[in-house]
Amino acid sequence: MANTQQSSSATISSSAVPELAGAWPLLGHAMEFKKDPVEMMDRGWREVGDLARFRLGTRECVLFTGPDAHDVYFKASEDELDAKSVYQFTVPIFGRGVVYDVAPEIMSEQLGFLFPALREPAMRRFAKIMFKEATMFADSLDDEGEINLPEALNRLTVKIASHCLIGQEIREQIDEGFADAYHLLQNGINVIGFFLPNLPIPSHRARDRARRKIAALLGSIVEERRRTGSAPDDFMTTLMNGSYKDGRKLTDDEITGLLITVLFAGQHTSTVLATWMGLEMIQAPSAVKWARDEMQEIYGKPGMTMNYDTLKNQLAMECIIRENERMHPPLIVLIRKVLKTMQYGDHVIDSGTLAMVSPAVSHRLPHLFENPDEFIPQRFAPPKNEHKQHHYCLIGFGGGKHQCMGKHFAFMQLKAIWTVLLDRFEFSLDSGVPAPNYGSWVTGPVEPCIVQYRRRSQTSLLQ
């Protein structure tokens, strides 16, 4: 591994990170990045190496590529690499006084309220809800037809995440405008919003209206629970009863903001991965057979139904999820701001630089993954276990202390959805796998993605 240390620029005599060729005056590499950010960052790795410097307008950026570079990136402390200053574009969505709008220690306390919702007893309840919601979705479809896969799966994952993580009241209002408002809120996470989150463009105005609507709805439920004394075992109750270390109770605005935050954490990336899973499996009959053979082995026994333990045992489906995480990471780039001058090997990264890691680039490094552009879920099964070469080999959910705390929830949700759908339907796609939509911060396929489905003649394993 490269030797690293942090120091002041006055004591470091190493060279600057080499810059990627092709920068324009004033704009730097912004036009190339806008056209195809993954291709540009991959070019950086191919032409420059583990560290590649480029400019987006006036902003200096350094891309960290490969496990050794990831090791430095993910192990850096908050006072070395800062996320808060970078992710200010989430503040209009999550709200003031929560997550990236507060000091890191307060953010840690706020995210700590989520831990009980992700422990095994809660996850056991969630598995049943996921099965119920996925089954209701499957039952609502005709025997054959077509769907826009991202739109359909977005509505399903909103129902699952809201039911599991927020409360039954929100789930009951999904079809009464909540899902549409939430979709507009999602659209507020875009590339323009990253740089100019308060720019008064139509998507941002719609985002702000949607947030006010969702906040009012959540606030009315909190108020009604207080009035009636209702306290279901869910995350809303946890927040309503929660206190900070200094004894202060959460305000209603903080409760609302954290409910929106946890809904995004449990839903947004899951929708994208669920969509890519479907699109890739349609093109890979061997992967579908592998998953169905495992389903037969697990659910083919009399009286067996889906639960937390059966989902954990679906290793083929887990490998399919990992391969989609590798090929189609929901976040193509993770960003931190350098607060202290850093040294990596012989190179210096100056304070003020935007430090980046690209899962989309690192997941296709040929010295880590065999035939990296091919969809091969078995690469994550024994004896290959390609993801175990290094602890930062697969980083679709981040890494180290920055790893997404909802990863296991996402995996369980994805398994539940596609287990039910593969059990009930055959799917087909007239065209190949669509191109990624780089205009969205969470990178799904270009829409629409129209998929044909037909109910299977075999008796369902899952009743």
Side-chain angles (χ1 to χ4, degrees):
M1 180 188 296
N3 206 8
T4 65
Q5 64 183 31
Q6 282 75 42
S7 177
S8 67
S9 56
T11 61
I12 294 178
S13 58
S14 303
S15 61
V17 176
E19 184 175 16
L20 181 64
W24 289 24
L26 301 179
L27 294 176
H29 301 83
M31 297 302 292
E32 184 182 359
F33 189 87
K34 182 177 183 296
K35 180 180 179 182
D36 192 329
V38 175
E39 172 57 31
M40 194 212 80
M41 290 186 289
D42 183 62
R43 184 169 75 85
W45 174 76
R46 285 185 280 108
E47 295 181 6
V48 179
D50 285 7
L51 294 187
R53 182 165 55 94
F54 58 92
R55 286 189 298 110
L56 298 178
T58 60
R59 299 304 301 267
E60 287 283 346
C61 308
V62 170
L63 179 68
F64 290 63
T65 303
D68 288 349
H70 295 169
D71 201 63
V72 173
Y73 188 92
F74 289 119
K75 287 183 178 178
S77 62
E78 294 287 351
D79 62 354
E80 294 166 337
L81 292 181
D82 173 51
K84 178 183 174 182
S85 58
V86 174
Y87 289 97
Q88 287 299 297
F89 71 94
T90 65
V91 173
I93 295 168
F94 299 153
R96 291 290 179 184
V98 296
V99 196
Y100 292 113
D101 193 49
V102 296
E105 59 271 18
I106 301 299
M107 178 178 172
S108 294
E109 280 196 68
Q110 291 177 344
L111 295 181
F113 292 123
L114 181 58
F115 287 140
L118 298 175
R119 294 191 180 115
E120 185 175 319
M123 296 289 273
R124 287 187 176 277
R125 294 197 308 274
F126 296 163
K128 296 177 182 178
I129 293 172
M130 292 169 180
F131 176 48
K132 177 182 178 182
E133 293 287 357
T135 299
M136 289 170 61
F137 171 75
D139 290 344
S140 73
L141 297 177
D142 296 330
D143 285 344
E144 59 181 290
E146 61 181 30
I147 54 174
N148 181 15
L149 196 60
E151 180 183 9
L153 291 177
N154 186 67
R155 287 187 173 270
L156 174 56
T157 54
V158 168
K159 291 176 180 179
I160 291 173
S162 61
H163 195 166
C164 290
L165 298 172
I166 298 184
Q168 180 65 32
E169 300 100 324
I170 286 294
R171 168 61 184 89
E172 291 170 354
Q173 298 189 51
I174 288 295
D175 296 321
E176 297 177 14
F178 179 87
D180 292 333
Y182 180 73
H183 182 63
L184 292 173
L185 195 61
Q186 286 177 313
N187 289 342
I189 296 186
N190 53 57
V191 174
I192 294 176
F194 174 77
F195 293 100
L196 299 167
N198 296 311
L199 189 69
I201 58 177
S203 63
H204 288 174
R205 289 195 291 266
R207 170 201 68 193
D208 295 341
R209 288 194 301 270
R211 195 195 184 282
R212 288 192 294 269
K213 180 176 182 177
I214 290 173
L217 176 58
L218 293 172
S220 68
I221 295 173
V222 169
E223 185 177 339
E224 180 66 12
R225 286 191 179 188
R226 287 201 181 106
R227 187 185 69 81
T228 62
S230 173
D233 186 9
D234 56 33
F235 187 54
M236 182 180 285
T237 296
T238 297
L239 295 178
M240 290 174 65
N241 294 336
S243 299
Y244 290 101
K245 290 178 181 177
D246 63 4
R248 181 176 71 82
K249 302 287 287 185
L250 280 76
T251 67
D252 285 0
D253 285 343
E254 288 172 326
I255 291 172
T256 298
L258 290 173
L259 288 171
I260 293 173
T261 300
V262 76
L263 183 57
F264 264 79
Q267 188 272 335
H268 204 22
T269 56
S270 293
T271 296
V272 168
L273 273 177
T275 300
W276 285 120
M277 280 180 69
L279 295 172
E280 289 288 359
M281 285 192 293
I282 288 171
Q283 309 290 322
S286 62
V288 173
K289 183 180 185 306
W290 188 31
R292 282 181 174 152
D293 286 348
E294 180 182 72
M295 288 160 52
Q296 179 65 46
E297 182 179 342
I298 293 173
Y299 297 107
K301 302 166 186 175
M304 184 63 70
T305 189
M306 184 181 291
N307 57 51
Y308 176 79
D309 295 314
T310 61
L311 289 171
K312 279 187 67 175
N313 289 332
Q314 287 184 245
L315 301 182
M317 191 69 80
E318 183 153 327
C319 290
I320 292 171
I321 295 171
R322 289 187 189 278
E323 181 67 337
N324 279 279
E325 175 193 351
R326 186 188 71 81
M327 295 190 72
H328 305 288
L331 298 178
I332 60 170
V333 63
L334 311 175
I335 308 176
R336 302 284 184 268
K337 183 178 179 180
V338 180
L339 299 184
K340 294 180 179 179
T341 301
M342 300 174 62
Q343 186 167 2
Y344 178 86
D346 295 329
H347 300 302
V348 169
I349 304 103
D350 292 329
S351 61
T353 301
L354 293 183
M356 300 182 177
V357 165
S358 175
V361 172
S362 295
H363 287 177
R364 300 204 186 200
L365 296 178
H367 62 285
L368 295 178
F369 298 103
E370 185 178 356
N371 299 316
D373 295 327
E374 294 184 22
F375 181 74
I376 310 173
Q378 290 84 353
R379 72 171 76 244
F380 297 118
K384 287 191 173 182
N385 292 320
E386 289 188 4
H387 58 303
K388 294 184 178 181
Q389 300 173 73
H390 190 282
H391 48 283
Y392 296 133
C393 202
L394 199 63
I395 55 169
F397 287 85
K401 61 180 175 293
H402 297 299
Q403 185 173 42
C404 174
M405 61 193 303
K407 176 179 178 179
H408 297 300
F409 179 92
F411 269 52
M412 193 164 74
Q413 181 176 203
L414 293 168
K415 286 182 181 181
I417 289 170
W418 277 107
T419 296
V420 170
L421 293 182
L422 291 182
D423 180 50
R424 304 292 182 86
F425 299 102
E426 301 288 355
F427 294 92
S428 60
L429 183 67
D430 287 340
S431 58
V433 176
N437 174 19
Y438 292 133
S440 173
W441 187 255
V442 180
T443 307
V446 172
E447 293 190 47
C449 299
I450 304 301
V451 169
Q452 292 75 40
Y453 69 88
R454 176 174 50 81
R455 200 170 293 273
R456 302 178 71 205
S457 58
Q458 293 93 326
T459 301
S460 174
L461 292 171
L462 297 162
Q463 300 296 333

